[in-house]
């Protein structure tokens, strides 16, 4: 019986220690806004509203883009190579890239991401002036924003 009490007491102590660690864990960093929209022009492939959703974990960030163009045919998962270039308010550009996309059926909005990139605290990134390049089935489509993103640029902590 004594061993059972010790085991239970030790388990409770370990649990309490783990919970106290959670209380002192650093807060997750955030990007604001979490989502933004743009009006995009993709040349002969179409134009319209696109949505960008951003996340951040330290200096790593991801952006998922639901574009203004639709899939002309069914596309397999992870079959699109994408590069998103955003303009940094402090100068230069920041690139997010990847080959992630869900399986798409004909007529679905083309969604790519999460596209990975590196950010610094205080970076203010805007789609207007940048571009999204999508390569699918050997065809390159380049989309550009026709105006600033709304509600505003992504600001990273």
């Amino acid at each position: 019986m004594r061993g059972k009490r010790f085991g239970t007491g030790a388990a409770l102590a370990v649990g309490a220690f783990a919970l106290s660690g959670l209380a002192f864990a650093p807060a997750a960093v955030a990007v604001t806004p979490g989502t933004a929209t743009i009006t995009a022009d993709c040349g002969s492939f179409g134009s319209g509203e696109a949505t960008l959703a951003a996340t951040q974990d330290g200096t790593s960030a991801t952006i998922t883009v639901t574009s203004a163009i639709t899939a002309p045919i069914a596309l397999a998962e992870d079959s699109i190579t994408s590069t998103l270039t955003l303009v940094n308010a402090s100068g230069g550009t920041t690139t997010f890239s990847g080959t992630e996309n869900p399986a798409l059926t004909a007529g679905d909005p083309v969604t790519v991401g999460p596209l990975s990139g590196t950010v610094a605290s205080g970076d203010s990134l805007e789609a207007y002036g940048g571009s999204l390049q999508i390569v699918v089935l050997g065809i390159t489509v380049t989309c550009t924003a026709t105006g600033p993103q709304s509600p505003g640029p992504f600001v990273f902590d």
Side-chain angles (χ1 to χ4, degrees):
M1 197 65 179
R2 184 174 171 194
K4 226 178 194 179
R5 277 190 236 152
F6 177 74
T8 302
L12 288 173
V14 169
F17 181 72
L19 286 175
S20 70
L22 289 175
F24 297 107
V29 291
V31 55
T32 53
T35 60
T37 58
I38 60 169
T39 299
D41 179 2
C42 302
S44 61
F45 295 95
S47 62
E49 189 173 278
T51 302
L52 292 78
T55 63
Q56 179 184 5
D57 184 8
T59 59
S60 297
T62 63
I63 297 182
T64 299
V65 181
T66 302
S67 72
I69 59 175
T70 57
I73 60 172
L75 298 170
E77 180 178 6
D78 301 337
S79 62
I80 302 172
T81 301
S82 306
T83 303
L84 174 67
T85 303
L86 300 177
V87 175
N88 194 327
S90 64
T93 59
T94 299
T95 302
F96 295 81
S97 60
T99 57
E100 304 268 339
N101 65 276
L104 302 168
T105 59
D108 284 349
V110 174
T111 299
V112 295
L115 306 176
S116 301
T118 303
V119 296
S121 181
D123 276 355
S124 178
L125 304 180
E126 164 71 57
Y128 187 53
S131 66
L132 172 65
Q133 185 176 70
I134 298 171
V135 180
V136 61
L137 303 173
I139 300 168
T140 301
V141 178
T142 301
C143 300
T144 57
T146 60
Q149 67 190 44
S150 177
F154 292 119
V155 178
F156 295 87
D157 284 341

